[in-house]
Amino acid sequence: MRLTGASGPEAISTFVTSDPGLDAARVQAQVERLVAKCRERNIRFDMRPKVKPAIIQNYYTPGTPLDGRCLYPFLYARVSYSGKVYFCPFIRVEVGDLTQQSLEEIWNGEKYVEMRRRLLEHGIFPVCRRCCKVELSPRPAVATADLPKRRAIPLTPVHS
């Protein structure tokens, strides 16, 4: 909650467990068999999150660090039926309200920009560890010092 600024655990709308209760070697063997069967039948195989062999042991071992990135709040906005805009589908921190502001104002607003900044500075949040939207990596994420100094990604409204 400290990193996201959420008021309590109810802001997290996903089930996250510290121990997935699976053996990494068994998962890897099963995925390899599935990949082979798909290849035999000329079926494209993909999975989310992309738990590649280089990180599978860390992914399924409780407490082991994982590096990665999440582009969701940089590319999309989660909007509820009431017009409330949230940081992501699973971290329900409200960053704006379309009944009060334009999407551009929310996108470039202090709260949304601050949440994205925290994500860049700290890497994926602990709750993001097993999210299907996160991109995991065996290498550490890019340091924020290497990123351009921009306040927010510009929004291009599409009018129909």
Side-chain angles (χ1 to χ4, degrees), residues 21 35 50 61 70 79 82-83 90-91 93 96 101 107 113 128 130 132-133 150 155:
V35 168
K50 295 190 182 290
T61 303
C70 179
V79 181
S82 65
F90 308 110
I91 300 176
V93 172
Q101 305 163 276
W107 189 264
V113 171
C128 305
R130 291 192 181 89
C132 62
K133 308 256 184 240
R150 292 182 62 183
L155 174 70

Side-chain angles (χ1 to χ4, degrees), residues 64-77:
T64 306
L66 277 177
D67 289 311
R69 66 182 184 170
C70 179
L71 298 177
Y72 188 91
F74 297 91
L75 301 173
Y76 308 101

Side-chain angles (χ1 to χ4, degrees), residues 109-140:
E110 198 60 41
K111 196 162 190 179
Y112 213 174
V113 171
E114 174 63 17
M115 290 289 291
R116 290 191 293 256
R117 184 188 63 73
R118 286 182 195 166
L119 189 60
L120 287 172
E121 287 178 355
H122 298 282
I124 58 173
F125 300 145
V127 72
C128 305
R129 182 180 169 93
R130 291 192 181 89
C131 176
C132 62
K133 308 256 184 240
V134 77
E135 295 178 9
L136 300 171
S137 169
R139 292 183 304 276

